Each structure stands twice: as structure tokens, then as C-alpha cells.
Amino acid sequence: MFILRFLFYLFLFAVILVLIFVARIALTIWRMKRELDKRAKDGARYDTTADGTSSTTGQEGEILTDMRDPQRAHRKIIADDEGEYVEFEEE
């Protein structure tokens, strides 16, 4: 009897793991679909080639191509010590 109960709980555990796995896959697919729908709604198309260059096609048909390597294209432009803080003196 103990072995049957153990096997039953083991089976339930396996079923729950499979359901969690399937739910995560479904959530990932749903997020990808939502992102593609958002991009289609914006009217822009984003392409990345094997060498790392990326191009964007906008609504008016203009094509912007970024020829920089990916490390350089995604680096931070503004340094940490720079910002929008302005010293203000009241007159």
C-alpha cells in the first residue's frame, strides 16, 4: 500500500512538472507573438545579420543600417558622471 501511494505522489509530481514546463513554453510563445504584433503595428521591421549589423525599415520605407559591431552599438554613450543635474543659484 505504501509503495502504491508513493508511486501515485511521484506520478502527480511528474504531471505538475510537465504542466509547469508546458505553461512556461506557452508563456514564452505568447510573449514573442505579442512583441511581433507590436512591431507589426508600429510598421517597422528589424533585421540582424550574422556579422552583427542591423537594419530598420520604417513606415515611410527608409532603411537605416547600423554597421557597428554589436559591442560598440550597445555600449553606454553618456558617462556615469554626466547627467541632467544643473547647479542652480537663486538671484
Side-chain angles (χ1 to χ4, degrees):
M1 188 67 176
F2 174 75
I3 294 174
L4 289 176
R5 187 176 289 171
F6 175 74
L7 290 175
F8 175 72
Y9 288 129
L10 190 63
F11 174 75
L12 283 179
F13 181 72
V15 168
I16 290 171
L17 284 179
V18 168
L19 288 176
I20 290 172
F21 181 71
V22 169
R24 288 189 61 134
I25 290 174
L27 182 63
T28 302
I29 291 172
W30 178 75
R31 285 180 180 164
M32 289 172 56
K33 181 186 178 310
R34 187 177 64 174
E35 181 67 27
L36 289 174
D37 288 345
K38 181 180 174 186
R39 286 184 179 181
K41 182 179 178 186
D42 292 342
R45 199 178 91 231
Y46 305 94
D47 297 323
T48 303
T49 60
D51 62 351
T53 61
S54 63
S55 63
T56 304
T57 305
Q59 290 178 341
E60 291 82 28
E62 74 275 5
I63 298 175
L64 304 172
T65 303
D66 188 2
M67 301 297 287
R68 299 175 292 174
D69 60 338
Q71 290 83 15
R72 195 164 186 217
H74 297 296
R75 69 181 168 95
K76 191 172 185 179
I77 297 172
I78 299 173
D80 287 333
D81 60 343
E82 296 180 23
E84 296 182 14
Y85 180 77
V86 178
E87 288 199 28
F88 178 75
E89 292 183 15
E90 200 167 322
E91 296 180 11

